[in-house]
Amino acid sequence: MGDSIRSIPILEGGSDSFFDKLEAAAIGRKYGKGKLVFVHEDQAENFYILTSGWVKLFRETLDGTQSIIDILPAGHTFGETPIFEGGLYPYSAEVVEAADIYIAPLSILKEELETNTKLSMNMLSHLIRYKRQQDRELEHMTVQNAPQRIGCFLLRLVNQSEQGSVVIHLPYDKTLLAARLGMQPETFSRALAKLKEQTGIRVNGATVEMDSLDQLVSYSCAACSSEFPCNDLTDCK
Amino acid sequence: MGDSIRSIPILEGGSDSFFDKLEAAAIGRKYGKGKLVFVHEDQAENFYILTSGWVKLFRETLDGTQSIIDILPAGHTFGETPIFEGGLYPYSAEVVEAADIYIAPLSILKEELETNTKLSMNMLSHLIRYKRQQDRELEHMTVQNAPQRIGCFLLRLVNQSEQGSVVIHLPYDKTLLAARLGMQPETFSRALAKLKEQTGIRVNGATVEMDSLDQLVSYSCAACSSEFPCNDLTDCK
DNA sequence: CGAGGGTTTGAAGTGCATCAAATAGTGTGG
DNA sequence: CCACACTATTTGATGCACTTCAAACCCTCG
């Protein structure tokens, strides 16, 4: 386990004693699809380290409509933001693909942050990058239409350097993906069909293929303020 | 000047020597409406402290469409995010209401952050709060319609504790406000009219009055995952 | 008083949501 | 290995919200 925690990007810069404490205190747990890790406004004692699977962070309105904050792949942490202030989780977390998660006390993280500038600098830098990504998401919502948003998402799944023909696997349900992109499942389905005819991508279930990225890039990125290899983040979300 | 810089929330926790250095190096400048402070992808040497007026942060696509990242009131800093990485501004900054701005070297801030945990903790905490606000903005874009978004914005301008009748002054152009809320000026105008008839607010130019917040709250917050006094931020944006 | 930008109003078009229903796909127990 | 149940996905038809284009209005300021 040590390695998997020590190599989490957002914890880079942590001291040895920090990781030792973390390993001593953390509990590893397996979660099946659909399991809730915590719920909005739970008292936050722990933060979570995702080493495999996918986790959805979301909020919901009174009528049950969910709005998705993020869908995290392995290698990310979540539930760490209540270190400051009241200490309530600002969102709920649900496993959407069977996951391995380490549960670790926030107090250890907080203590380390207060004494280890390297870690807090690293965390600042991650938050800033994250914010930039979020700026883009907001931009996309107003500037791109549904097919373009899907195309943009696909592009962020691709290794930028990829040459020639490309194969992508959608990481989770189309229904969830639709929600993640802020549209209805029906709209997603139609928009994907449109993307197919516009850019020549081939879709088969959760597999998407194309001969080159060019058409997808010129179709999707046209309406955006960033240029293609825009995915300067650790990874997709 | 000292005081105005020392009381900026995001710089709270800075050491005396930090503020001394800042005051020695910073240049105060007045900017008229419409002036650009810096442009997207400029090399970032300085960050900016806004002590009066309003500044718009934005990006634009090739065809000139702007997407607004934020509109800052006095008391905020901007252009500080390139402390890490390459050091290019990720957005452009334009004064939208005549502003007083202090220009200060990023290097001073960076150095202080690396040595003063109090400041970096404070900054982390601010970024986290900011992120939460941004989560809400994204939610609003998908969950609220135009009149509700306007109502929500108005509510965030109000002092929460206000009792009885309330008067609000729109802080800048309606056209800009529309862009800030991700809609067209025409839509804004119509949506505001609808809000008027639905909630009984009275609009006169840039002045908005109402007898009580109740109707506005129940109309606007119905579709949101947060409850009314949701503006747990330093101030509006 | 006239020019120009901000704001409103009107008419028409587009994209997405919604409701309804068909189809494909997956896992289950027999 | 098949039939059933259940969910994910697609397709169709319709409505609504917002955009777009056009023009009028209003207000401020030289």
Side-chain angles (χ1 to χ4, degrees), chain A residues 91-138:
Chain A
Y91 45 71
S92 308
E94 179 190 325
V95 171
V96 290
E97 295 295 336
D100 293 307
I101 297 175
Y102 287 110
I103 308 175
L106 270 171
S107 56
I108 296 179
L109 178 60
K110 183 163 193 184
E111 190 184 311
E112 176 78 358
L113 279 172
E114 277 164 352
T115 51
N116 177 352
T117 333
K118 234 167 125 188
L119 180 61
S120 57
M121 285 292 98
N122 179 56
M123 206 147 170
L124 263 178
S125 145
H126 271 269
L127 272 175
I128 287 173
R129 269 224 295 264
Y130 190 89
K131 171 179 173 349
R132 226 169 277 181
Q133 177 58 30
Q134 221 173 5
D135 289 342
R136 260 188 290 236
E137 304 267 340
L138 252 163

Side-chain angles (χ1 to χ4, degrees), chain A residues 57 59 93 123 133 138 218 236:
Chain A
L57 310 182
R59 294 172 59 98
M123 206 147 170
Q133 177 58 30
L138 252 163
S218 74
C236 64

Side-chain angles (χ1 to χ4, degrees), chain B residues 46-207:
Chain B
N46 299 300
F47 73 106
Y48 300 81
I49 304 166
L50 182 62
T51 55
S52 83
W54 290 82
V55 168
K56 169 177 81 172
L57 311 181
F58 66 101
R59 293 171 62 99
E60 49 192 349
T61 60
L62 289 175
D63 67 352
T65 316
Q66 292 191 353
S67 86
I68 291 186
I69 293 177
D70 210 342
I71 297 180
L72 303 176
H76 281 247
T77 59
F78 58 99
E80 74 277 20
T81 57
I83 352 175
F84 302 105
E85 358 200 352
L88 304 181
Y89 293 117
Y91 44 72
S92 307
E94 179 191 325
V95 171
V96 290
E97 296 295 336
D100 292 308
I101 298 175
Y102 287 109
I103 307 175
L106 271 171
S107 55
I108 297 179
L109 178 61
K110 183 165 192 182
E111 190 184 310
E112 175 78 358
L113 279 172
E114 277 164 352
T115 53
N116 177 351
T117 334
K118 234 166 125 188
L119 179 61
S120 57
M121 284 292 97
N122 179 55
M123 205 145 170
L124 262 178
S125 144
H126 271 270
L127 272 175
I128 287 173
R129 269 224 296 264
Y130 190 89
K131 170 177 171 352
R132 228 169 276 180
Q133 177 57 30
Q134 219 172 6
D135 289 342
R136 260 188 290 235
E137 304 266 342
L138 252 163
E139 174 183 329
H140 291 170
M141 287 304 298
T142 50
V143 164
Q144 292 186 314
N145 61 22
Q148 288 172 325
R149 287 213 295 284
I150 297 176
C152 179
F153 181 87
L154 291 178
L155 288 171
R156 277 177 286 145
L157 285 179
V158 178
N159 188 329
Q160 309 172 20
S161 55
E162 205 115 11
Q163 290 293 329
S165 119
V166 179
V167 181
I168 304 169
H169 286 272
L170 303 182
Y172 36 79
D173 283 4
K174 288 179 179 174
T175 307
L176 184 57
L177 226 169
R180 163 71 179 70
L181 297 174
M183 61 186 84
Q184 302 309 118
E186 296 94 327
T187 303
F188 180 88
S189 175
R190 287 185 249 259
L192 188 58
K194 185 162 186 185
L195 197 63
K196 245 164 33 180
E197 70 184 39
Q198 298 279 316
T199 67
I201 64 175
R202 296 177 293 281
V203 180
N204 189 333
T207 307

Side-chain angles (χ1 to χ4, degrees), chain A residues 13-25:
Chain A
S15 67
D16 281 338
S17 76
F18 166 63
F19 285 116
D20 292 343
K21 271 187 251 171
L22 220 49
E23 285 169 13

